[in-house]
Amino acid sequence: DIVLTQSPDTLSLSPGERATLACRASQSVNSGSLAWYQHKPGQAPRLLMYGPSSRATGIPDRFSGSGSGTDFTLTISSLDPEDFALYYCQQYASSPFTFGQGTRLEIK
Amino acid sequence: VQLVQSGAEVKKPGESLRISCEGSGYSFTTYSIHWVRLLPGKGLEWMGTIDPSDSYTNYNPSFQGHVTFSTDKSVNTAYLHWSTLRASDTAMYYCAAGGPFFFDFWGHGTLVTVSS
């Protein structure tokens, strides 16, 4: 199975700041087959990015994704108060699909 | 697109359980249904997927043989079934609809508690 390791575990930032979340795979993720999700307590997770740089429908353009091979990044250019949540990466290059352990983005 | 999951369940080890996920706002056979587990204090785990159009399934080997996916197109509903629950099955279970690979739309989850 492809293991995804996200860093950092927790990121403390202020609204308006830039957030950079990393996701490293244990082996190459072919064709950039990586997605990012946002999850808030008590809510359904939300698809943010796939492919890895395509935004899902309705996702603001302050969210961007990049990377290839084993290293991927989710960037939030200017944090909005509603962006503080848990973020997961997920690979779909090979089955079984796997998730990273998550990065918690908290208000500083 | 909306996915409505059945309510929380409390069961004993060894009991069986079926939870449901009803899709609305789209043609039910358009999207695959994936099941994802969230263990307390842990991250997300993909359990597998079922294609409602032909009932094709792809199970994560970690769950193969312990759970069963099914759908009923007449009521736009997908099901996750356990014949023998374990305490370690205590978790939140999400259904998600999307293509074969990633998950565009999610339900709010069903909390399953297995305790003697």
Side-chain angles (χ1 to χ4, degrees):
Chain A
D1 299 2
I2 296 178
V3 176
L4 299 179
T5 302
Q6 293 185 239
S7 61
D9 288 333
T10 303
L11 186 57
S12 299
L13 293 169
S14 301
E17 289 192 293
R18 180 185 186 90
T20 303
L21 287 68
C23 178
R24 173 164 287 181
S26 61
Q27 58 189 273
S28 182
V29 174
N30 295 334
S31 305
S33 301
L34 190 111
W36 290 91
Y37 301 86
Q38 179 191 66
H39 192 195
K40 296 179 181 179
Q43 297 187 19
R46 179 169 71 146
L47 174 67
L48 298 174
M49 311 290 303
Y50 61 93
S53 58
S54 298
R55 270 187 297 276
T57 302
I59 301 304
D61 61 7
R62 64 179 180 273
F63 290 90
S64 63
S66 63
S68 63
T70 60
D71 291 295
F72 297 86
T73 301
L74 174 71
T75 302
I76 311 172
S77 59
S78 177
L79 284 166
D80 187 278
E82 68 180 17
D83 297 336
F84 293 92
L86 196 54
Y87 290 84
Y88 293 99
C89 56
Q90 175 239 333
Q91 67 79 22
Y92 50 93
S94 69
S95 184
F97 306 146
T98 51
F99 291 88
Q101 85 280 11
T103 289
R104 183 174 305 279
L105 180 55
E106 64 177 27
I107 299 178
K108 188 173 182 179
Chain B
V1 175
Q2 192 173 13
L3 299 173
V4 178
Q5 296 190 233
S6 49
E9 300 274 1
V10 179
K11 307 292 280 187
K12 290 181 165 50
E15 292 185 329
S16 64
L17 174 65
R18 189 180 76 170
I19 64 175
S20 65
C21 169
E22 181 181 359
S24 62
Y26 71 104
S27 173
F28 187 63
T29 56
T30 297
Y31 295 122
S32 294
I33 295 290
H34 301 264
W35 289 96
V36 178
R37 182 173 79 173
L38 179 62
L39 283 170
K42 303 283 188 180
L44 299 168
E45 295 176 275
W46 177 76
M47 301 174 68
T49 186
I50 183 166
D51 185 333
S53 65
D54 60 6
S55 295
Y56 168 80
T57 54
N58 179 20
Y59 290 93
N60 182 331
S62 295
F63 296 90
Q64 181 108 41
H66 184 53
V67 298
T68 305
F69 307 145
S70 62
T71 60
D72 184 341
K73 289 184 286 189
S74 69
V75 290
N76 294 342
T77 299
Y79 302 97
L80 170 58
H81 178 256
W82 295 260
S83 57
T84 308
L85 284 162
R86 311 164 183 159
S88 57
D89 293 320
T90 295
M92 180 74 82
Y93 292 87
Y94 294 96
C95 64
F101 304 117
F102 54 86
F103 323 129
D104 297 77
F105 311 102
W106 294 67
H108 278 76
T110 295
L111 180 62
V112 174
T113 303
V114 184
S115 174
S116 54

CSV table of all heavy atoms in Angstrom, one decimal, chain A residues 6 8-13 19 21 36-46 48 62-63 74 76 79-88 101-108:
chain,number,residue,atom,x,y,z
A,6,GLN,N,1.7,13.3,6.1
A,6,GLN,CA,1.5,14.7,6.0
A,6,GLN,C,2.3,15.5,7.0
A,6,GLN,O,2.6,15.0,8.1
A,6,GLN,CB,0.0,15.0,6.2
A,6,GLN,CG,-0.9,14.5,5.1
A,6,GLN,CD,-2.3,14.8,5.2
A,6,GLN,OE1,-3.2,14.0,5.3
A,6,GLN,NE2,-2.6,16.2,5.3
A,8,PRO,N,3.0,19.7,8.5
A,8,PRO,CA,3.2,19.3,9.8
A,8,PRO,C,1.9,18.6,10.3
A,8,PRO,O,0.9,18.6,9.6
A,8,PRO,CB,3.5,20.6,10.6
A,8,PRO,CG,2.7,21.6,9.9
A,8,PRO,CD,2.7,21.2,8.4
A,9,ASP,N,1.9,18.0,11.5
A,9,ASP,CA,0.7,17.5,12.1
A,9,ASP,C,-0.3,18.6,12.4
A,9,ASP,O,-1.5,18.5,12.3
A,9,ASP,CB,1.0,16.7,13.4
A,9,ASP,CG,1.7,15.4,13.1
A,9,ASP,OD1,1.5,14.8,11.9
A,9,ASP,OD2,2.5,14.9,13.9
A,10,THR,N,0.3,19.7,13.0
A,10,THR,CA,-0.5,20.9,13.3
A,10,THR,C,0.2,22.1,12.8
A,10,THR,O,1.4,22.2,12.9
A,10,THR,CB,-0.7,21.0,14.8
A,10,THR,OG1,-1.3,19.8,15.3
A,10,THR,CG2,-1.6,22.2,15.2
A,11,LEU,N,-0.6,23.0,12.3
A,11,LEU,CA,-0.1,24.3,11.7
A,11,LEU,C,-0.9,25.4,12.4
A,11,LEU,O,-2.1,25.4,12.2
A,11,LEU,CB,-0.2,24.3,10.2
A,11,LEU,CG,0.4,25.4,9.4
A,11,LEU,CD1,1.8,25.6,9.7
A,11,LEU,CD2,0.1,25.2,7.9
A,12,SER,N,-0.2,26.3,13.1
A,12,SER,CA,-0.9,27.4,13.7
A,12,SER,C,-0.6,28.7,13.0
A,12,SER,O,0.6,29.1,13.0
A,12,SER,CB,-0.4,27.5,15.2
A,12,SER,OG,-0.7,26.3,15.9
A,13,LEU,N,-1.6,29.3,12.5
A,13,LEU,CA,-1.5,30.5,11.7
A,13,LEU,C,-2.6,31.5,12.0
A,13,LEU,O,-3.6,31.1,12.6
A,13,LEU,CB,-1.4,30.2,10.2
A,13,LEU,CG,-0.2,29.4,9.7
A,13,LEU,CD1,-0.5,28.9,8.2
A,13,LEU,CD2,1.1,30.2,9.7
A,19,ALA,N,-0.8,29.4,4.1
A,19,ALA,CA,-0.6,28.1,4.6
A,19,ALA,C,-0.1,27.2,3.6
A,19,ALA,O,-0.6,27.1,2.4
A,19,ALA,CB,-2.0,27.6,5.2
A,21,LEU,N,0.7,23.1,3.2
A,21,LEU,CA,0.6,21.8,3.8
A,21,LEU,C,1.2,20.8,2.8
A,21,LEU,O,1.0,20.8,1.6
A,21,LEU,CB,-0.9,21.4,4.0
A,21,LEU,CG,-1.7,22.1,5.1
A,21,LEU,CD1,-1.9,23.6,4.8
A,21,LEU,CD2,-3.1,21.4,5.2
A,36,TRP,N,-7.1,16.3,-2.2
A,36,TRP,CA,-7.1,16.9,-0.9
A,36,TRP,C,-8.5,17.2,-0.4
A,36,TRP,O,-9.4,17.5,-1.2
A,36,TRP,CB,-6.4,18.3,-0.9
A,36,TRP,CG,-4.9,18.2,-1.1
A,36,TRP,CD1,-4.2,18.3,-2.3
A,36,TRP,CD2,-3.9,18.1,-0.1
A,36,TRP,NE1,-2.9,18.2,-2.1
A,36,TRP,CE2,-2.6,18.1,-0.8
A,36,TRP,CE3,-3.9,18.1,1.3
A,36,TRP,CZ2,-1.4,18.1,-0.1
A,36,TRP,CZ3,-2.7,18.0,2.0
A,36,TRP,CH2,-1.5,18.0,1.3
A,37,TYR,N,-8.7,16.9,0.9
A,37,TYR,CA,-10.0,17.1,1.5
A,37,TYR,C,-9.9,18.0,2.7
A,37,TYR,O,-8.9,18.0,3.4
A,37,TYR,CB,-10.7,15.8,1.9
A,37,TYR,CG,-10.8,14.8,0.8
A,37,TYR,CD1,-9.8,14.0,0.4
A,37,TYR,CD2,-12.0,14.7,0.1
A,37,TYR,CE1,-9.9,13.1,-0.7
A,37,TYR,CE2,-12.2,13.9,-1.0
A,37,TYR,CZ,-11.1,13.1,-1.4
A,37,TYR,OH,-11.3,12.2,-2.4
A,38,GLN,N,-11.0,18.7,3.0
A,38,GLN,CA,-11.1,19.5,4.2
A,38,GLN,C,-12.2,18.9,5.1
A,38,GLN,O,-13.2,18.5,4.6
A,38,GLN,CB,-11.5,20.9,3.9
A,38,GLN,CG,-11.7,21.9,5.1
A,38,GLN,CD,-12.4,23.2,4.6
A,38,GLN,OE1,-13.6,23.2,4.2
A,38,GLN,NE2,-11.7,24.3,4.7
A,39,HIS,N,-11.9,18.8,6.4
A,39,HIS,CA,-12.9,18.2,7.3
A,39,HIS,C,-13.0,19.0,8.5
A,39,HIS,O,-12.0,19.2,9.3
A,39,HIS,CB,-12.5,16.7,7.6
A,39,HIS,CG,-13.5,15.9,8.3
A,39,HIS,ND1,-13.3,14.8,9.0
A,39,HIS,CD2,-14.9,16.1,8.4
A,39,HIS,CE1,-14.4,14.3,9.4
A,39,HIS,NE2,-15.4,15.1,9.1
A,40,LYS,N,-14.2,19.4,8.8
A,40,LYS,CA,-14.5,20.2,10.0
A,40,LYS,C,-15.4,19.3,11.0
A,40,LYS,O,-16.2,18.4,10.5
A,40,LYS,CB,-15.3,21.4,9.7
A,40,LYS,CG,-14.5,22.4,8.9
A,40,LYS,CD,-15.4,23.7,8.6
A,40,LYS,CE,-14.6,24.6,7.7
A,40,LYS,NZ,-15.3,25.8,7.4
A,41,PRO,N,-15.2,19.4,12.3
A,41,PRO,CA,-15.9,18.5,13.2
A,41,PRO,C,-17.4,18.6,13.0
A,41,PRO,O,-18.0,19.7,12.8
A,41,PRO,CB,-15.5,19.1,14.6
A,41,PRO,CG,-14.2,19.8,14.4
A,41,PRO,CD,-14.3,20.3,13.0
A,42,GLY,N,-18.0,17.4,13.0
A,42,GLY,CA,-19.4,17.3,12.8
A,42,GLY,C,-20.0,17.6,11.4
A,42,GLY,O,-21.2,17.6,11.2
A,43,GLN,N,-19.1,17.8,10.5
A,43,GLN,CA,-19.5,18.0,9.1
A,43,GLN,C,-19.0,16.9,8.2
A,43,GLN,O,-18.1,16.1,8.6
A,43,GLN,CB,-19.0,19.4,8.6
A,43,GLN,CG,-19.5,20.6,9.4
A,43,GLN,CD,-19.1,21.9,8.7
A,43,GLN,OE1,-18.7,21.9,7.5
A,43,GLN,NE2,-19.2,23.0,9.5
A,44,ALA,N,-19.5,16.9,7.0
A,44,ALA,CA,-19.0,15.9,6.0
A,44,ALA,C,-17.7,16.5,5.5
A,44,ALA,O,-17.6,17.7,5.3
A,44,ALA,CB,-20.1,15.8,4.9
A,45,PRO,N,-16.8,15.6,5.2
A,45,PRO,CA,-15.5,16.1,4.5
A,45,PRO,C,-15.9,16.7,3.2
A,45,PRO,O,-16.9,16.4,2.6
A,45,PRO,CB,-14.7,14.8,4.3
A,45,PRO,CG,-15.2,13.9,5.4
A,45,PRO,CD,-16.7,14.2,5.6
A,46,ARG,N,-15.0,17.6,2.7
A,46,ARG,CA,-15.3,18.3,1.4
A,46,ARG,C,-14.0,18.1,0.5
A,46,ARG,O,-12.9,18.3,0.9
A,46,ARG,CB,-15.5,19.7,1.7
A,46,ARG,CG,-15.8,20.6,0.4
A,46,ARG,CD,-16.3,21.9,0.7
A,46,ARG,NE,-15.3,22.8,1.3
A,46,ARG,CZ,-15.3,24.2,1.1
A,46,ARG,NH1,-16.1,24.7,0.3
A,46,ARG,NH2,-14.4,24.9,1.7
A,48,LEU,N,-11.5,19.3,-2.0
A,48,LEU,CA,-10.9,20.5,-2.4
A,48,LEU,C,-10.2,20.5,-3.8
A,48,LEU,O,-10.5,21.3,-4.6
A,48,LEU,CB,-9.8,21.0,-1.4
A,48,LEU,CG,-10.3,21.2,0.1
A,48,LEU,CD1,-9.1,21.5,0.9
A,48,LEU,CD2,-11.3,22.3,0.2
A,62,ARG,N,-8.3,30.7,-3.6
A,62,ARG,CA,-7.2,30.9,-2.7
A,62,ARG,C,-6.6,29.5,-2.4
A,62,ARG,O,-5.5,29.4,-1.8
A,62,ARG,CB,-7.6,31.5,-1.4
A,62,ARG,CG,-8.6,30.8,-0.6
A,62,ARG,CD,-8.9,31.6,0.7
A,62,ARG,NE,-9.9,30.9,1.6
A,62,ARG,CZ,-11.2,31.0,1.4
A,62,ARG,NH1,-11.7,31.8,0.5
A,62,ARG,NH2,-12.1,30.4,2.2
A,63,PHE,N,-7.3,28.4,-2.7
A,63,PHE,CA,-6.8,27.1,-2.6
A,63,PHE,C,-6.0,26.6,-3.9
A,63,PHE,O,-6.6,26.8,-5.0
A,63,PHE,CB,-7.9,26.0,-2.3
A,63,PHE,CG,-8.5,26.2,-1.0
A,63,PHE,CD1,-9.6,27.0,-0.7
A,63,PHE,CD2,-8.0,25.5,0.1
A,63,PHE,CE1,-10.1,27.1,0.5
A,63,PHE,CE2,-8.5,25.6,1.4
A,63,PHE,CZ,-9.6,26.4,1.6
A,74,LEU,N,-0.5,21.4,-0.7
A,74,LEU,CA,-1.7,22.2,-0.7
A,74,LEU,C,-1.4,23.6,-0.1
A,74,LEU,O,-0.8,23.7,1.0
A,74,LEU,CB,-2.8,21.6,0.1
A,74,LEU,CG,-4.1,22.4,0.2
A,74,LEU,CD1,-4.9,22.4,-1.1
A,74,LEU,CD2,-5.0,21.8,1.3
A,76,ILE,N,-2.9,27.5,0.8
A,76,ILE,CA,-4.0,28.4,0.9
A,76,ILE,C,-3.4,29.8,1.0
A,76,ILE,O,-2.6,30.1,1.9
A,76,ILE,CB,-4.8,28.1,2.2
A,76,ILE,CG1,-5.2,26.6,2.3
A,76,ILE,CG2,-6.1,29.0,2.2
A,76,ILE,CD1,-5.8,26.2,3.6
A,79,LEU,N,-5.4,33.0,4.5
A,79,LEU,CA,-6.4,32.2,5.3
A,79,LEU,C,-7.6,33.0,5.7
A,79,LEU,O,-7.5,34.1,6.2
A,79,LEU,CB,-5.7,31.7,6.5
A,79,LEU,CG,-4.8,30.5,6.3
A,79,LEU,CD1,-3.9,30.3,7.6
A,79,LEU,CD2,-5.6,29.2,6.0
A,80,ASP,N,-8.8,32.4,5.4
A,80,ASP,CA,-10.0,32.9,5.8
A,80,ASP,C,-10.4,32.2,7.2
A,80,ASP,O,-10.0,31.0,7.3
A,80,ASP,CB,-11.1,32.6,4.8
A,80,ASP,CG,-12.4,33.2,5.1
A,80,ASP,OD1,-13.2,32.6,5.8
A,80,ASP,OD2,-12.7,34.3,4.5
A,81,PRO,N,-11.1,32.8,8.1
A,81,PRO,CA,-11.5,32.1,9.3
A,81,PRO,C,-12.2,30.8,9.1
A,81,PRO,O,-12.0,29.9,9.9
A,81,PRO,CB,-12.4,33.1,10.0
A,81,PRO,CG,-12.0,34.4,9.5
A,81,PRO,CD,-11.5,34.2,8.1
A,82,GLU,N,-12.9,30.6,8.0
A,82,GLU,CA,-13.5,29.3,7.8
A,82,GLU,C,-12.6,28.2,7.3
A,82,GLU,O,-13.0,27.1,7.2
A,82,GLU,CB,-14.7,29.5,6.7
A,82,GLU,CG,-14.2,29.8,5.3
A,82,GLU,CD,-15.3,30.0,4.3
A,82,GLU,OE1,-16.4,30.2,4.8
A,82,GLU,OE2,-15.0,30.0,3.1
A,83,ASP,N,-11.3,28.5,7.1
A,83,ASP,CA,-10.4,27.6,6.6
A,83,ASP,C,-9.7,26.7,7.7
A,83,ASP,O,-9.0,25.8,7.4
A,83,ASP,CB,-9.3,28.2,5.7
A,83,ASP,CG,-9.8,28.9,4.5
A,83,ASP,OD1,-10.9,28.6,4.0
A,83,ASP,OD2,-9.1,29.9,4.1
A,84,PHE,N,-10.0,27.1,8.9
A,84,PHE,CA,-9.3,26.4,10.0
A,84,PHE,C,-10.1,25.1,10.2
A,84,PHE,O,-11.2,25.1,10.6
A,84,PHE,CB,-9.2,27.3,11.2
A,84,PHE,CG,-8.3,28.4,11.0
A,84,PHE,CD1,-8.7,29.6,10.6
A,84,PHE,CD2,-6.9,28.3,11.3
A,84,PHE,CE1,-7.9,30.7,10.3
A,84,PHE,CE2,-6.0,29.3,11.1
A,84,PHE,CZ,-6.5,30.5,10.6
A,85,ALA,N,-9.4,24.0,10.0
A,85,ALA,CA,-10.0,22.7,9.9
A,85,ALA,C,-8.9,21.6,9.8
A,85,ALA,O,-7.7,21.9,9.9
A,85,ALA,CB,-10.9,22.6,8.6
A,86,LEU,N,-9.3,20.4,9.6
A,86,LEU,CA,-8.4,19.3,9.4
A,86,LEU,C,-8.3,19.0,7.8
A,86,LEU,O,-9.3,19.1,7.2
A,86,LEU,CB,-8.9,18.0,10.1
A,86,LEU,CG,-8.1,16.8,10.3
A,86,LEU,CD1,-6.8,17.2,11.1
A,86,LEU,CD2,-8.8,15.8,11.2
A,87,TYR,N,-7.1,18.8,7.4
A,87,TYR,CA,-6.9,18.5,5.9
A,87,TYR,C,-6.2,17.2,5.7
A,87,TYR,O,-5.3,16.8,6.4
A,87,TYR,CB,-6.0,19.6,5.3
A,87,TYR,CG,-6.8,21.0,5.3
A,87,TYR,CD1,-6.8,21.8,6.4
A,87,TYR,CD2,-7.4,21.4,4.1
A,87,TYR,CE1,-7.5,23.0,6.4
A,87,TYR,CE2,-8.1,22.6,4.1
A,87,TYR,CZ,-8.1,23.4,5.2
A,87,TYR,OH,-8.8,24.6,5.2
A,88,TYR,N,-6.8,16.4,4.7
A,88,TYR,CA,-6.2,15.1,4.4
A,88,TYR,C,-5.9,15.1,2.9
A,88,TYR,O,-6.6,15.6,2.1
A,88,TYR,CB,-7.3,14.0,4.6
A,88,TYR,CG,-7.7,13.8,6.0
A,88,TYR,CD1,-8.9,14.3,6.5
A,88,TYR,CD2,-7.0,12.9,6.8
A,88,TYR,CE1,-9.3,14.1,7.8
A,88,TYR,CE2,-7.4,12.7,8.1
A,88,TYR,CZ,-8.5,13.2,8.6
A,88,TYR,OH,-8.9,13.0,9.9
A,101,GLN,N,-2.4,11.1,7.4
A,101,GLN,CA,-2.9,11.1,8.7
A,101,GLN,C,-3.6,12.4,9.1
A,101,GLN,O,-4.3,12.5,10.1
A,101,GLN,CB,-1.8,10.8,9.8
A,101,GLN,CG,-1.0,12.0,10.2
A,101,GLN,CD,0.1,12.4,9.2
A,101,GLN,OE1,0.1,11.9,8.0
A,101,GLN,NE2,1.0,13.3,9.6
A,102,GLY,N,-3.4,13.4,8.2
A,102,GLY,CA,-4.1,14.7,8.4
A,102,GLY,C,-3.2,15.8,9.0
A,102,GLY,O,-2.2,15.5,9.7
A,103,THR,N,-3.5,17.0,8.6
A,103,THR,CA,-2.8,18.2,9.2
A,103,THR,C,-3.9,19.1,9.8
A,103,THR,O,-4.9,19.4,9.1
A,103,THR,CB,-2.1,19.0,8.1
A,103,THR,OG1,-0.9,18.3,7.7
A,103,THR,CG2,-1.7,20.4,8.7
A,104,ARG,N,-3.8,19.4,11.0
A,104,ARG,CA,-4.8,20.3,11.7
A,104,ARG,C,-4.3,21.7,11.5
A,104,ARG,O,-3.2,22.1,12.0
A,104,ARG,CB,-4.9,19.9,13.2
A,104,ARG,CG,-6.0,20.7,13.9
A,104,ARG,CD,-6.2,20.3,15.3
A,104,ARG,NE,-6.5,18.8,15.4
A,104,ARG,CZ,-7.7,18.3,15.1
A,104,ARG,NH1,-8.7,19.2,14.9
A,104,ARG,NH2,-7.9,17.0,15.2
A,105,LEU,N,-5.1,22.5,10.9
A,105,LEU,CA,-4.8,23.9,10.7
A,105,LEU,C,-5.6,24.7,11.8
A,105,LEU,O,-6.9,24.7,11.8
A,105,LEU,CB,-5.2,24.4,9.3
A,105,LEU,CG,-5.0,25.8,8.9
A,105,LEU,CD1,-3.6,26.3,9.1
A,105,LEU,CD2,-5.4,26.0,7.4
A,106,GLU,N,-4.9,25.3,12.7
A,106,GLU,CA,-5.6,26.0,13.8
A,106,GLU,C,-5.2,27.5,13.9
A,106,GLU,O,-4.2,27.9,13.3
A,106,GLU,CB,-5.2,25.3,15.2
A,106,GLU,CG,-3.7,25.4,15.5
A,106,GLU,CD,-3.4,24.8,16.9
A,106,GLU,OE1,-4.1,23.9,17.3
A,106,GLU,OE2,-2.4,25.3,17.5
A,107,ILE,N,-6.1,28.2,14.5
A,107,ILE,CA,-5.9,29.6,14.6
A,107,ILE,C,-4.9,29.9,15.7
A,107,ILE,O,-4.9,29.4,16.8
A,107,ILE,CB,-7.2,30.3,15.0
A,107,ILE,CG1,-8.3,30.1,13.9
A,107,ILE,CG2,-7.0,31.8,15.1
A,107,ILE,CD1,-9.6,30.7,14.2
A,108,LYS,N,-3.9,30.8,15.3
A,108,LYS,CA,-2.8,31.2,16.2
A,108,LYS,C,-3.3,32.3,17.2
A,108,LYS,O,-4.0,33.2,16.7
A,108,LYS,CB,-1.6,31.7,15.4
A,108,LYS,CG,-0.4,31.9,16.2
A,108,LYS,CD,0.8,32.2,15.3
A,108,LYS,CE,2.0,32.4,16.1
A,108,LYS,NZ,3.2,32.7,15.2
